[in-house]
Amino acid sequence: MRASNLRLGVNIDHVATIRNARGGRFPDPVRAAKLAAQAGADGITAHLREDRRHISDEDIARLSAEIDRPLNLEMAATDEMLAIALRHKPHAACLVPEKREERTTEGGLDVIRFRDQLRPYVEKLNAAGIRVSIFIEPAPAALDTARALGAPVVELHTGSYCEAYLEDPAGARVRRELQRIVDAAAHAESIGLECHAGHGLTFDTVTPVAAIPTIAELNIGHFLVGEAIFSGLDSAIRRMRALMDKARAAAVGGASG
Ligand code: PXP
């Protein structure tokens, strides 16, 4: 479905990374989440990793209790994470790889290889009313498998596109990687999946992805937290939001009018 409104999920993991570098309580990722909401985030994304290297269990409890935006919990497909998701009932859960062997060569969850292991997690999250997405490479076979597993949403991994841009912004590889995302978003629509995207997006790379009218949500974190060092988190999020909105308005307006 074409969406005139593109949602922004702000990932606050790396606020916790900075906090954890010292231990203690500062900077507080929940404060960052509240500020992100004021700056234009439609949702907050947080990845509770098995090793708790950034977000903690307490962060998830506080985010669930204190923020007034939908929480998207990124999680490995493990019994421990499933129990946490079922306890807090976030709006959404995104199944992501954590171990090297769970990834495709590019970085999304190797949904084809792990389909049988993933199935019960998708089923239980669906049954609990938590909107499930699977973080995959922009490849048709991966999308088909996510759909066969019963996930209503896929999140396309934009890492290869962003890496290609850093290598050579005008190079053929960027065009190729972007085309894979465009094609995958069209395929998602054709098989009835809601399509999200994220990983590695910056002010320089967000526009062409935001212009893909069938993408409903972008999840962006690391760059925004880094940019906050220079301009503040509020300003960084507002600028990202403005770039996304401009790209989407041009794409949708251009198509309909
Ligand atoms: N989407 C998913 C599924 C992710 O795992 C991540 C990284 O945690 C992101 C989006 C955000 O990526 P970045 O922090 O590079 O913006």
Side-chain angles (χ1 to χ4, degrees):
M1 217 182 73
R2 280 175 170 263
S4 55
N5 171 41
L6 173 62
R7 296 193 302 268
L8 169 62
V10 171
N11 181 316
I12 42 93
D13 291 349
H14 296 298
V15 177
T17 302
I18 299 170
R19 174 194 62 193
N20 296 359
R22 272 282 167 99
R25 310 192 71 84
F26 309 111
D28 177 12
V30 178
R31 181 175 169 201
K34 290 177 182 169
L35 191 148
Q38 281 167 14
D42 300 289
I44 299 299
T45 295
H47 183 179
L48 183 65
R49 296 187 68 103
E50 289 180 87
D51 64 6
R52 309 304 198 264
R53 74 174 68 147
H54 37 58
I55 292 294
S56 68
D57 297 68
E58 191 194 344
D59 293 330
I60 294 297
R62 288 182 57 221
L63 286 166
S64 303
E66 293 181 37
I67 61 168
D68 64 357
R69 289 289 188 281
L71 176 64
N72 174 29
L73 174 66
E74 293 178 354
M75 54 179 267
T78 65
D79 290 348
E80 183 201 13
M81 290 301 149
L82 178 66
I84 292 168
L86 295 180
R87 186 168 343 122
H88 292 293
K89 296 257 176 68
H91 169 75
C94 181
L95 296 173
V96 298
E98 285 199 12
K99 301 190 180 82
R100 276 260 138 233
E101 62 270 21
E102 292 168 346
R103 290 178 199 173
T104 63
T105 42
E106 281 105 342
L109 189 52
D110 194 343
V111 73
I112 297 172
R113 182 166 160 220
F114 288 99
R115 82 173 76 194
D116 292 337
Q117 286 98 311
L118 290 167
R119 194 183 310 279
Y121 295 96
V122 175
E123 283 173 6
K124 286 174 186 156
L125 291 165
N126 271 337
I130 299 168
R131 190 199 65 191
V132 187
S133 68
I134 310 184
F135 189 40
I136 54 172
E137 284 306 307
L143 275 89
D144 291 339
T145 307
R147 172 138 198 306
L149 286 173
V153 181
V154 285
E155 179 156 333
L156 304 178
H157 198 302
T158 52
S160 296
Y161 155 67
C162 292
E163 272 170 31
Y165 184 92
L166 286 177
E167 200 179 271
D168 178 5
R173 194 178 147 219
V174 183
R175 288 196 297 279
R176 210 166 47 238
E177 293 297 344
L178 185 61
Q179 193 59 47
R180 289 178 71 217
I181 298 168
V182 169
D183 292 346
H187 188 64
E189 182 182 34
S190 74
I191 61 174
L193 287 172
E194 181 170 317
C195 189
H196 301 177
H199 197 90
L201 291 169
T202 66
F203 294 150
D204 291 332
T205 51
V206 75
T207 293
V209 179
I212 301 169
T214 53
I215 291 184
E217 178 175 308
L218 299 182
N219 284 296
I220 308 179
H222 183 265
F223 176 79
L224 290 172
V225 173
E227 198 59 20
I229 295 168
F230 304 105
S231 68
L233 189 58
D234 181 85
S235 155
I237 293 170
R238 283 182 199 278
R239 184 159 165 212
M240 188 63 82
R241 170 94 258 170
L243 287 168
M244 286 168 52
D245 291 346
K246 189 171 169 211
R248 178 54 56 95
V252 174
S256 64

